[in-house]
């Protein structure tokens, strides 16, 4: 007692309990004291505060009883005082924390849920009850799985297992409202000590709006991706081909696919007539085609788009005065959307799309159509310019050929004519020596002109072979030369033929063309075979037929421009050309003609 109150024994004996009691607790034990004295109670206890000698207030648990005489009169009281200051301070702190916890629990806008580790609900916040449509009393003691969609029960089991391991959980589940509707929530879970026992705390946040916004965003991203893919496809079509028809038709196909429509068409302005011509279409009824094949630049719905230079949506074809009669009748309930096709700031055509019944076009789709139409407009204009360039190129090439003929062949033939005129005059004068000399000069001029003609033809033909494989060129030539005949043709091309130089390909093609032409014109053959192989730096072209052939003794050493060696071992009319040495070197380097040019070998048998 002395240690508890900080007094010496004699100091305590000199004081009363009232002097030691905290002022606010003076009346606290008065009723108990009266009951004890009056005999209504034999003992009692209470918590009260005392003041130590140093002024510090202490909490105590006071237990007291009365000692009475034989006749029952109270003689003195015996009290036991226990210092409970630390417990009271701990309880005060705990009460403060519980008050704070409850304030947070009650005020939180997120739903809070206290669970036993088996999932039973111990406590819920008002926000949680409001979120799920229940009264708080309805949920205490029930299992939390009641509030979770069955498909997400495995996620809730994972939550409990995570918390039991003392770890934090974060996830999303679909919860159920009391009325049966579902909504998305984000769950934060953690171990939690509640009333001295291990529990699980779960914080629920409604993320339904967030999920909806995310879904909308994903749809917009997907739509934008489709738009960019469509634009990329149209650009790819334009870059892959410079043929106007190919660009227009493939672009229209891609637009209809992206916009999920079947009917569409493209009109282009004819710069010569000023009218709009339908150059590409898909699934347009025949009756409508007859009316929209050619339109005035200011007529119809397309003319309106062309005039204003802006995209247009027609909600109902039946109600639009500019729609052609067949469209108002056959597509009366269909919606139309069109966009001008632009190039260099001017409209050169109109792209039109017709949706199925009930199909509405969004602003994004209209903008996409406008972008694609502009892209196609540029591509179409490029293709048109390319065609014009090709025409100009052909004209320029013709002029160049004409100049070459004038500068070489025409002059050569003029020289030949003059020499022949001189020969005629010399013969009239009986000057044979002069005539022979003039004939010799004329022959030299003829040889030069013939060589120049061959050079020009080779130059023209070799250009067309630069980007083609010899096998494809042979097949095309064969089809053209044997078309309309009864010849049975077989072709054997080695699979791994290398890429020959253009000069070598031209030589092979010229040999084959001459031989095939001779077979068709003179051989009276029924079968023709062509075989092209390459091995050991040698290319071999063999052309055989079963025609009548020619007599090996009928002609001398030469036949036309070719040298001829009789080959009595062959059994069919045929020709073989060999190019020995490096196949990638110039043919002129490895062959000789009797005049110093190419060396060719050809065998002919009867």
């Amino acid at each position: 007692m002395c240690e508890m109150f900080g007094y010496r024994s004699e100091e305590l004996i000199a004081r009363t309990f009232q002097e030691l009691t905290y002022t606010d607790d003076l009346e606290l034990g008065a009723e108990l004291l009266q009951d004890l004295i009056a005999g209504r109670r034999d003992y009692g206890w209470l918590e009260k505060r005392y003041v130590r000698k140093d002024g510090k207030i202490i909490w105590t648990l006071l237990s007291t009883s009365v000692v009475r005489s034989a006749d029952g009169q109270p003689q003195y009281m015996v009290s036991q005082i226990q210092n409970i200051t630390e417990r009271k301070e701990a309880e005060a702190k705990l009460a403060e924390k519980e008050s704070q916890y409850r304030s947070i629990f009650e005020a939180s806008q997120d739903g809070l849920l206290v669970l036993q580790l088996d999932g039973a609900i111990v406590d819920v916040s008002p926000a949680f009850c409001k979120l799920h449509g229940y009264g708080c009393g309805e949920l205490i003691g029930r299992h939390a799985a009641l509030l979770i969609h069955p498909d997400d029960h495995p996620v809730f089991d994972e939550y409990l297992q995570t918390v039991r391991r003392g770890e934090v959980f974060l996830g999303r589940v679909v919860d159920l409202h009391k009325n049966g509707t579902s909504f998305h929530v984000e769950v934060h879970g953690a171990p939690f000590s509640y009333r001295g026992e291990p529990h699980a705390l779960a914080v629920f946040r409604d993320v339904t709006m967030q999920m909806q916004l995310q879904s909308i965003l994903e749809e917009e991203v997907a739509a934008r991706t489709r738009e960019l893919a469509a634009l990329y496809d149209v650009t790819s079509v334009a870059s892959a081909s410079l043929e106007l028809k190919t660009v227009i038709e493939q672009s229209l196909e891609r637009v209809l696919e992206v916009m999920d429509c079947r009917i569409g068409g493209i009109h282009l302005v004819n710069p010569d007539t000023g009218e709009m011509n339908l150059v590409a279409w898909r699934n347009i009824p025949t009756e409508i085609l007859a009316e929209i094949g050619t339109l005035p630049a200011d007529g119809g719905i397309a003319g309106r788009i062309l005039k204003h230079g802006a995209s247009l949506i027609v909600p109902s074809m039946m109600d639009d005065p500019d729609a052609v009669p067949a469209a108002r009748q056959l597509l009366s309930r269909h919606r139309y959307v069109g966009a001008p096709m632009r190039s260099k700031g001017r409209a050169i055509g109109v792209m039109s799309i017709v949706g199925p019944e009930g199909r509405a076009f969004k602003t994004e789709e209209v903008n996409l159509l406008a972008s694609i139409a502009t892209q196609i407009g540029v591509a179409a204009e490029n293709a048109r310019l390319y065609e014009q360039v090709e025409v100009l190129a052909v004209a320029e090439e013709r002029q160049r050929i004409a100049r070459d003929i004038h500068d070489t062949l025409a002059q050569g033939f003029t020289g030949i004519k003059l020499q022949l005129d001189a020969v005629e005059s010399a013969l009239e004068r009986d000057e044979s020596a002069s005539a022979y000399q003039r004939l010799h000069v004329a022959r030299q001029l003829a040889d030069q002109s013939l060589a120049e003609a061959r050079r020009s033809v080779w130059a023209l033909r070799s250009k067309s072979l630069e980007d083609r494989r010899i096998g494809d060129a042979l097949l095309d030539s064969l089809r053209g030369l044997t078309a309309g005949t009864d010849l049975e043709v077989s072709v054997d091309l080695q699979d791994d033929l290398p890429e020959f130089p253009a000069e070598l390909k031209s030589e092979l093609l010229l040999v084959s063309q001459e031989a095939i032409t001779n077979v068709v014109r003179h051989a009276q053959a029924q079968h023709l075979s062509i075989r092209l192989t390459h091995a050991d730096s040698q290319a071999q072209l063999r052309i055989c037929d079963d025609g009548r052939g020619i007599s090996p003794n009928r002609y001398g050493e030469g036949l036309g421009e070719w040298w001829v060696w009789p080959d009595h071992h062959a059994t069919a009319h045929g020709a073989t050309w060999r190019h020995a040495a490096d196949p990638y070197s110039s043919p002129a380097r490895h062959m000789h003609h009797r005049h110093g040019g190419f060396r060719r070998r050809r065998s002919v048998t009867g």
Side-chain angles (χ1 to χ4, degrees):
M1 184 74 175
C2 293
E3 182 180 354
M4 185 184 304
F5 283 86
Y7 291 96
R8 298 191 305 274
S9 176
E10 58 271 19
E11 291 177 313
L12 283 177
I13 293 173
R15 283 172 172 77
T16 64
F17 266 111
Q18 285 74 12
E19 291 177 309
L20 299 175
T21 301
Y22 182 63
T23 306
D24 292 346
D25 292 348
L26 285 173
E27 302 296 330
L28 188 61
E31 184 179 353
L32 175 61
L33 179 61
Q34 293 175 2
D35 289 344
L36 290 173
I37 294 175
R40 291 188 291 272
R41 299 174 63 179
D42 292 331
Y43 64 93
W45 65 272
L46 55 82
E47 292 180 355
K48 63 179 297 186
R49 287 169 289 182
Y50 292 97
V51 181
R52 281 171 48 88
K53 181 179 180 180
D54 57 10
K56 182 180 179 180
I57 300 172
I58 60 173
W59 277 93
T60 65
L61 177 62
L62 173 65
S63 299
T64 185
S65 60
V66 179
V67 178
R68 301 179 184 277
S69 61
D71 57 0
Q73 294 299 316
Q75 293 184 326
Y76 52 90
M77 301 177 65
V78 177
S79 296
Q80 180 183 4
I81 301 175
Q82 181 181 353
N83 189 346
I84 60 172
T85 301
E86 291 183 359
R87 179 172 67 82
K88 293 296 288 186
E89 289 176 350
E91 289 178 354
K93 292 180 180 179
L94 181 60
E96 182 181 3
K97 290 183 178 180
E98 287 185 351
S99 176
Q100 293 174 349
Y101 156 75
R102 180 54 59 180
S103 297
I104 296 173
F105 200 74
E106 300 291 339
S108 174
Q109 295 183 355
D110 294 331
L112 302 179
L113 185 65
V114 180
L115 301 171
Q116 292 180 354
L117 297 183
D118 60 359
I121 298 175
V122 175
D123 200 359
V124 291
S125 70
F128 183 89
C129 296
K130 182 179 179 181
L131 184 63
H132 292 79
Y134 288 90
C136 294
E138 296 180 86
L139 295 176
I140 302 299
R142 305 183 73 174
H143 199 278
L146 166 74
L147 306 171
I148 300 174
H149 192 282
D151 292 346
D152 283 346
H153 281 178
V155 181
F156 178 67
D157 294 337
E158 181 185 352
Y159 158 77
L160 291 177
Q161 293 173 9
T162 301
V163 173
R164 290 189 193 114
R165 293 195 301 267
E167 300 172 0
V168 175
F169 175 87
L170 175 62
R172 287 185 176 180
V173 295
V174 176
D175 271 14
L176 297 175
H177 195 275
K178 186 177 181 180
N179 61 16
T181 59
S182 60
F183 57 96
H184 294 270
V185 295
E186 187 175 73
V187 181
H188 292 257
F192 182 67
S193 179
Y194 183 75
R195 295 176 181 172
E197 298 292 333
H199 286 73
L201 175 66
V203 181
F204 288 75
R205 177 170 296 174
D206 187 355
V207 293
T208 302
M209 183 64 69
Q210 179 181 342
M211 295 291 288
Q212 292 174 348
L213 293 175
Q214 182 176 347
S215 177
I216 293 173
L217 179 60
E218 290 175 352
E219 291 178 0
E220 291 179 351
V221 170
R224 184 58 178 165
T225 301
R226 289 194 298 271
E227 293 175 8
L228 294 175
L231 286 172
Y232 174 77
D233 288 347
V234 171
T235 304
S236 299
V237 168
S239 60
S241 175
L242 281 174
E243 293 185 2
L244 181 60
K245 184 176 179 63
T246 300
V247 170
I248 293 295
E249 290 186 346
Q250 292 188 5
S251 298
L252 179 60
E253 287 279 4
R254 184 61 180 128
V255 171
L256 290 173
E257 179 184 345
V258 170
M259 300 193 70
D260 195 23
C261 295
R262 293 184 61 254
I263 302 175
I266 293 178
H267 283 86
L268 287 182
V269 176
N270 187 329
D272 297 327
T273 65
E275 297 177 325
M276 290 189 296
N277 297 325
L278 184 66
V279 295
W281 63 91
R282 290 292 182 271
N283 303 310
I284 298 178
T286 305
E287 298 84 348
I288 299 178
L289 284 176
E291 298 183 4
I292 66 173
T294 301
L295 294 172
D298 57 351
I301 298 176
R304 202 159 82 218
I305 295 173
L306 195 67
K307 178 180 179 181
H308 296 288
S311 302
L312 175 68
I313 296 179
V314 176
S316 172
M317 299 285 279
M318 180 176 59
D319 299 330
D320 194 286
D322 291 328
V324 297
R328 288 201 297 268
Q329 179 182 359
L330 299 176
L331 301 175
S332 58
R333 298 182 180 179
H334 295 251
R335 283 196 178 185
Y336 167 97
V337 59
M341 299 167 57
R342 295 180 170 278
S343 178
K344 298 180 181 179
R346 61 185 181 88
I348 65 169
V350 174
M351 172 174 281
S352 302
I353 303 295
V354 178
E357 290 189 22
R359 171 74 153 86
F361 293 104
K362 300 178 182 178
T363 303
E364 295 81 4
E365 292 177 310
V366 178
N367 293 337
L368 171 62
L369 182 64
S371 299
I372 292 178
T374 299
Q375 188 72 25
I376 297 175
V378 174
E381 185 68 11
N382 289 340
R384 181 179 290 171
L385 293 174
Y386 179 74
E387 290 180 351
Q388 295 176 358
V389 169
E390 282 190 320
V391 172
L392 292 175
V394 170
E396 290 179 357
E397 184 66 11
R398 287 177 177 175
Q399 293 177 1
R400 185 191 67 80
I401 294 173
R403 288 195 302 269
D404 288 346
I405 291 175
H406 176 269
D407 294 341
T408 56
L409 297 181
Q411 292 179 4
F413 289 141
T414 300
I416 293 171
K417 182 179 181 301
L418 292 174
Q419 293 299 326
L420 292 177
D421 290 342
V423 168
E424 185 177 7
S425 298
L427 291 175
E428 290 177 353
R429 297 192 301 270
D430 198 19
E431 298 177 356
S432 57
S434 176
Y436 281 120
Q437 183 179 4
R438 296 288 185 181
L439 282 175
H440 180 69
V441 174
R443 181 175 180 177
Q444 287 181 328
L445 290 174
D447 288 341
Q448 292 173 3
S449 297
L450 181 59
E452 181 61 29
R454 289 171 177 167
R455 184 198 64 76
S456 298
V457 171
W458 178 85
L460 291 174
R461 291 183 176 177
S462 63
K463 288 181 181 178
S464 63
L465 291 172
E466 288 180 357
D467 299 326
R468 301 184 63 197
R469 299 188 69 83
I470 183 60
D472 297 334
L474 282 173
L475 290 175
D476 289 344
S477 178
L478 180 63
R479 294 190 189 100
L481 294 174
T482 61
T485 69
D486 296 329
L487 273 175
E488 182 178 337
V489 181
S490 64
V491 180
D492 181 13
L493 300 176
Q494 184 174 317
D495 292 335
D496 57 347
L497 286 174
E499 180 60 31
F500 298 141
E503 295 170 318
L504 180 55
K505 289 189 286 187
S506 178
E507 288 292 324
L508 291 171
L509 188 61
L510 287 172
V511 169
S512 68
Q513 287 174 342
E514 183 191 9
I516 294 169
T517 300
N518 287 338
V519 171
V520 171
R521 291 180 178 177
H522 310 299
Q524 298 180 5
Q526 295 181 348
H527 301 87
L528 172 67
S529 66
I530 296 179
R531 186 168 185 266
L532 177 61
T533 59
H534 180 274
D536 298 328
S537 299
Q538 288 189 342
Q540 184 180 75
L541 174 65
R542 183 173 182 83
I543 302 175
C544 297
D545 67 274
D546 58 356
R548 61 182 182 176
I550 59 175
S551 170
N553 299 319
R554 180 177 177 183
Y555 303 100
E557 288 187 349
L559 176 63
E561 63 178 292
W562 302 95
W563 284 16
V564 180
W565 286 270
D567 183 358
H568 300 286
H569 298 288
T571 58
H573 172 82
T576 302
W577 179 92
R578 289 184 178 85
H579 170 213
D582 185 0
Y584 299 104
S585 300
S586 170
R589 187 178 305 167
H590 303 289
M591 298 181 286
H592 72 274
H593 192 266
R594 58 184 167 185
H595 294 295
F598 296 140
R599 176 183 182 274
R600 299 178 175 87
R601 178 178 181 274
R602 179 180 180 183
S603 61
V604 182
T605 65

